[in-house]
Amino acid sequence: MLSRGELAANTARVATRATWRTIWSAVAPFVGLLVVIAIFGIYQELYKPDNPFLAERWFKLIAKQSTIVGMGALGMTVIIISGGIDLSAGSILALCSVSLAILLKNGHGAMESLALALGLGLLCGAANGLLVTGLRLVPFIVTLGTMLVFRGLAEWVSDQKKIQAPDAPDWMSTLLNTPPPGSWQLVPTGAWIVVALGLVLAFVLRYTVFGRYVFALGSNEATARLCGINVPAVKVAVYALGGLFMGAAGVFDFNDLYKQGSPTSGLGLELQMIAAVVIGGGSLNGGRGSVLGSIVGALTMTTLRNGCVYAGVSDPLQKVVVGGIIIAAVAIDQVLHRGQRG
């Protein structure tokens, strides 16, 4: 039997470990990003001092390329915190992008088309949530099936061709344009939109009842149900919100393709979104994750890919490197999770 002093010492030791674990979870995404930047910075000094990687044009390119994944990662963050996953994210993106192009091509107004495309993303997400809760199937299986359904719909409505909407307003093709040197804007408008929506989402997750329900659901669904939380309704809302962000990513994709919607857009992008959330500190077991971490995770993924291009790493080897990092991130997450349970 422990004495009072030993019990107090053990309590203090556990509290200290929990504090350090919390601090590490918060700073780890930034450490990962800095390590990636440092690796390619060292490569620059050794092999390409006349063609620096740590230059403004590379940073702007990374910000631009992180925008679509970052937007999708915001939605994926909410889903993963709730203990779910969405493999249909890339297909929702393609369906929304193609639908936006078709609406604009058929003479609908820009704002009307935009609202309908975003609404379509929300409906796709809600459908995922209803299938998960209604059929009581695991999200992995449901969204694996809807990944094919939504991709098939995108190919069907577009007749498997890219849809051009040349009469769309110019702002619908310039959101991802890199600002000129010396501009106060620093990064594309789309990147600022991701930051603004990220702030709103972070507020919702931290200060609203819905946000607390999302974390409670991911931490322990059975306990959340016993506490009176309407678990099916929260799940549907979570997937619908995720679908809304995927729809917004589809709008960015339409921008990136210069007023075109492509049924092949977003192939494999759901894995990058999931990786961004995990690298950013999110747990695939649910109950943990942050908006800021996911955005940093998206930046880390994009920096890594661009650094590989800069260093002349072949595309197959890039995939091996990125895949290895995803496995490492998930493995670290599992170790931390076991540590918390222990």
Side-chain angles (χ1 to χ4, degrees), residues 61-105:
L61 181 63
I62 289 169
K64 174 184 177 180
Q65 294 181 353
S66 300
T67 303
I68 295 176
V69 175
M71 181 63 80
L74 293 181
M76 194 66 77
T77 300
V78 184
I79 293 172
I80 287 180
I81 289 175
S82 74
I85 200 162
D86 188 353
L87 298 181
S88 68
S91 298
I92 295 176
L93 179 153
L95 181 58
C96 292
S97 176
V98 165
S99 299
L100 177 61
I102 291 174
L103 288 167
L104 289 167
K105 185 180 179 180

Side-chain angles (χ1 to χ4, degrees), residues 39-49 310:
I39 289 173
F40 292 109
I42 293 171
Y43 180 88
Q44 161 195 308
E45 294 300 320
L46 293 176
Y47 300 103
K48 292 186 175 180
Y310 172 77

